Amino acid sequence: MIPFFVQIKCQLGKAYHVAAALADREIASEIYSTAGNFDLLVKFYVEQGTDIGHFVNEKVQTIPGIQDTHTIITFKAF
């Protein structure tokens, strides 16, 4: 499994709706609310060979209330 993170900026007043939608879809490993430029930090795992760009585009960015995303691909856990 390949881990990666997505920072999500939500439309005003929609962060809890977006977090609930992610949880309902059961595609996220962990969902955190954050302060700063983004509202949520979400950890995902995908199978080796999965196109992360397509995953984010089709499974994450289609959730109503999301304004912007920033994907962080990781290489190694320490």
Side-chain angles (χ1 to χ4, degrees):
M1 300 294 279
I2 299 171
F4 67 97
F5 297 84
V6 177
Q7 292 177 297
I8 298 174
K9 184 179 292 186
C10 301
Q11 295 170 347
L12 292 177
K14 298 295 183 182
Y16 284 93
H17 296 288
V18 171
L22 284 164
D24 289 346
R25 290 185 181 196
E26 298 182 354
I27 58 172
S29 171
E30 300 170 41
I31 305 167
Y32 298 96
S33 61
T34 59
N37 293 329
F38 291 88
D39 302 301
L40 300 171
L41 175 65
V42 185
K43 184 177 185 179
F44 296 95
Y45 285 96
V46 292
E47 295 288 337
Q48 186 78 28
T50 300
D51 186 310
I52 292 172
H54 279 117
F55 179 91
V56 171
N57 186 280
E58 296 165 6
K59 306 229 186 254
V60 179
Q61 293 177 341
T62 57
I63 294 173
I66 292 179
Q67 181 177 325
D68 193 13
T69 62
H70 178 79
T71 302
I72 303 166
I73 297 173
T74 57
F75 301 108
K76 179 178 175 159
F78 295 94

